[in-house]
Every structure is written in structure tokens, then in C-alpha cells.
Amino acid sequence: MDHAADITASLREVMREHPAGVVIVTVVVDGRPWGTTLSSFTLASLDPPLVLFCLVSTTTPARAILQEGAFGVSFVTAQNVDVARVASAAGRPKFLDDLAEAPYHGAPPVLRACRGSLTCRLENAVAVGDHTAFIGSVSRVITGPGGPPVAYCDGEYRLLKLT
Ligand SMILES: Cc1cc2nc3c(=O)[nH]c(=O)nc-3n(C[C@H](O)[C@H](O)[C@H](O)COP(=O)(O)O)c2cc1C
């Protein structure tokens, strides 16, 4: 294995055991809500309110976000793990028509029944290697029904418990 491939393999391994919160980013694709499960989401700034995530540049949602200029973010709890699995199924369409709030006034779709959701306007997109870093300004915060928090670690969704 050459040095770069060695680093990639080691990085994959160390990141695999790094626990991460999970969101589903939603965007309109062919007029329908499409959801993609992400762990790279974070708050980038509170004032002004900006969020950030990285998505493989060649994917359907990455292209759609650039085209639409807007996206939704829904926070995953233990009750949404089945949806997160659907929204990360490789090589399959990830339309979530039955789970999305009907978009209104041109707002991007978000999912019902998550811990909460954001609607965001795309502020900037920066190519970062094989991913694109998307920065969005938060236009709306929607409070959801809540639910037990989960983290993704070592290939599994794990319930977070306080000790
Ligand atoms: C928990 C979890 C987190 C993920 N986080 C990201 C991420 O941050 N960025 C990314 O590009 N893909 C991420 N993925 C992969 C995507 O959800 C999806 O599986 C991938 O884009 C393949 O879909 P495609 O075959 O339609 O391109 C994650 C998958 C899982 C299960």
C-alpha cells in the first residue's frame, strides 16, 4: 500500500470509532423530497446562524443542493434510526415523500417526527477533496417531538445514556 492509501485506510479506521451525531439533510430532487444521512453536520456560527456539513460531491443531493440553493436538516433520535438507514442506502434513490412536511412558500423539505429541523439557505459551497463543504444560513428552526439521542459509532446507531 502506498503512503496516501495507508493514511486513508487508517483515517477510515480511526473515524469509524469516533462517535458522531446524525442528521438527515433533505433537498428537492425532481420535485420530491430526498433525504441523505450525514454525520459531518455541525454548527459553524451562532451569530449569524450558520451550519456546515460535507457531502461527497458526485452524489444526487450534492448536485441538488447547488441547484436549489436551499436544504433542510432533521435531527435523528432513536425513533428515526429506521429512516436514517433508508436515507443512507448506497446506490438507491432516497425519496422520503411520506415522511416530509409539505414544503411551503418554496421552503426546502424537512422530516416530521425528528427531534427538530432547520431550513437553510445555501451560503457557500467549497470543494474539499472528494467532498463539498456546504455552508447554510438557518432561516427557520422547527421544534420536533424530541426523543432519545443517538450517536453513530463503529458502524452502529448507539443510544446515549447518562451514567
Ligand atoms: C451514520 C452515517 C453518516 C454518514 N455521513 C456522511 C457524511 O457526512 N457525508 C457523506 O457524504 N456521506 C455520509 N454518509 C453516507 C450517505 O448517507 C450515503 O450512504 C451515501 O451518500 C451513498 O449514497 P448514494 O449511493 O446515493 O450516493 C453517511 C452514512 C451513514 C450511515
Side-chain angles (χ1 to χ4, degrees):
M1 217 187 291
D2 66 32
H3 183 62
D6 200 24
I7 296 257
T8 302
S10 307
L11 190 55
R12 209 188 275 276
E13 202 173 307
V14 76
M15 289 306 294
R16 188 179 159 81
E17 297 201 346
H18 175 64
V22 180
V23 300
I24 299 175
V25 164
T26 41
V27 63
V28 172
V29 173
D30 295 335
R32 296 168 62 191
W34 175 293
T36 300
T37 303
L38 296 182
S39 58
S40 58
F41 175 85
T42 192
L43 180 69
S45 163
L46 258 181
D47 185 16
L50 299 170
V51 294
L52 166 71
F53 63 87
C54 296
L55 182 53
V56 173
S57 305
T58 51
T59 56
T60 298
R63 293 200 193 96
I65 292 168
L66 292 175
Q67 187 182 317
E68 293 291 314
F71 58 86
V73 177
S74 296
F75 296 94
V76 169
T77 72
Q79 273 133 22
N80 317 123
V81 164
D82 51 344
V83 186
R85 289 191 211 283
V86 171
S88 60
R92 292 214 210 128
K94 292 177 253 297
F95 291 112
L96 300 175
D97 304 69
D98 297 343
L99 302 169
E101 295 271 6
Y104 66 97
H105 300 308
V110 293
L111 301 182
R112 287 190 301 272
C114 288
R115 184 162 61 76
S117 299
L118 312 174
T119 62
C120 302
R121 199 180 58 242
L122 181 63
E123 286 293 327
N124 205 354
V126 182
V128 184
D130 58 359
H131 283 54
T132 298
F134 292 94
I135 296 172
S137 61
V138 179
S139 43
R140 190 169 168 228
V141 179
I142 302 153
T143 310
V150 285
Y152 193 75
C153 186
D154 203 12
E156 298 288 348
Y157 295 87
R158 297 174 192 276
L159 200 54
L160 293 176
K161 283 192 196 142
L162 294 179
T163 52

